Amino acid sequence: MSTQKCAEVIFSSDVANMYEWSKRTDLVVDSADRLGANYARAHRWLNGLKKTLVQQYGWQEATNPDSRMLFSLETSSIWRSSVGLPAGPKLRLCLPYHASSFFSPERRVQWEMVFHSDIFESVRKICPPVNDLLNLLQCLLTGVVTVAYEERLPDGVYRTTRGLPPITWITQYEADLVGIFGVQDYKTLRTACADTKKAFKLEVLN
């Protein structure tokens, strides 16, 4: 009999981890400039997801926004108390203007609070724009934001980590992704997403 934990989104700014995923997926990360340029080209798409969250899902611009952020949004908890009130503080979703912020030691805890929050634990499962955001960031920053599953089997605990989006999502947004990465890098990305040995990592924990 096996026991499986729910999927967990994990943020890691460890550069060695990112390069390990780069080698696994064949997605080249040869300079901070290249990574930053791809992220900058994705601003329009990211802001489009922000607009959808505000207009269609009732999210609001965060109070006292940080000027270093591309955007900062807030929403109420999806969980409710016995009297119908939000069972917890507001959830905040923010992204930096520059990709380099994800690797700043001073901001590591901030990004862990964003990606380890209920936004990516629960809300993304019922809010397509949040899931699209996760998938896009996995393409832009492969290995930085992953989704892990743990399963306890008689011979040990197995962790499966997904570093890239499903191939169906990659195919659906081909034109947008080509606009960010170019034709050749998009083909490499699509190939990696279609190969479970590249898109996933399996570990035996004990």
Side-chain angles (χ1 to χ4, degrees):
M1 182 176 179
S2 66
T3 302
Q4 185 169 350
K5 295 176 64 175
C6 294
E8 177 186 11
V9 174
I10 299 174
F11 170 81
S12 171
S13 58
D14 180 41
V15 175
N17 176 67
M18 184 179 68
Y19 276 99
E20 178 189 340
W21 276 98
S22 174
K23 184 177 180 180
R24 172 182 293 275
T25 59
D26 295 324
L27 297 171
V28 178
V29 183
D30 54 4
S31 71
D33 289 343
R34 179 171 180 169
L35 188 151
N38 287 341
Y39 185 80
R41 283 192 289 270
H43 278 191
R44 182 176 179 181
W45 191 349
L46 293 169
N47 277 318
L49 293 173
K50 167 201 168 183
K51 184 177 180 181
T52 301
L53 287 170
V54 171
Q55 294 183 347
Q56 299 183 25
Y57 292 87
W59 292 55
Q60 298 176 330
E61 296 277 358
T63 55
N64 302 317
D66 188 331
S67 61
R68 295 169 293 183
M69 296 296 109
L70 180 65
F71 63 75
S72 296
L73 297 178
E74 290 181 341
T75 189
S76 298
S77 170
I78 62 173
W79 309 109
R80 293 293 182 267
S81 68
S82 59
V83 293
L85 297 175
K90 286 187 175 181
L91 301 173
R92 175 171 287 205
L93 173 62
C94 55
L95 288 180
Y97 192 85
H98 298 291
S100 58
S101 178
F102 287 116
F103 304 98
S104 170
E106 293 78 15
R107 303 181 79 84
R108 177 181 58 82
V109 173
Q110 177 183 7
W111 300 124
E112 287 177 345
M113 290 177 65
V114 170
F115 292 107
H116 297 172
S117 74
D118 203 42
I119 293 174
F120 289 94
E121 176 72 20
S122 303
V123 175
R124 71 179 177 88
K125 299 173 184 177
I126 59 174
C127 187
V130 174
N131 199 54
D132 286 340
L133 178 63
L134 173 63
N135 288 338
L136 178 54
L137 289 175
Q138 286 195 316
C139 297
L140 293 166
L141 306 162
T142 304
V144 175
V145 184
T146 57
V147 182
Y149 312 77
E150 287 186 11
E151 187 173 15
R152 184 176 295 277
L153 298 172
D155 60 340
V157 177
Y158 290 76
R159 171 180 285 177
T160 302
T161 303
R162 177 169 67 83
L164 290 172
I167 184 61
T168 51
W169 187 88
I170 293 293
T171 303
Q172 179 182 354
Y173 293 103
E174 177 177 353
D176 300 283
L177 292 167
V178 168
I180 294 172
F181 296 101
V183 174
Q184 189 55 53
D185 283 354
Y186 168 76
K187 289 181 179 179
T188 304
L189 177 63
R190 184 180 62 191
T191 298
C193 290
D195 187 339
T196 55
K197 292 183 179 179
K198 293 183 177 183
F200 293 83
K201 178 172 68 173
L202 177 64
E203 302 170 276
V204 181
L205 301 184
N206 59 41

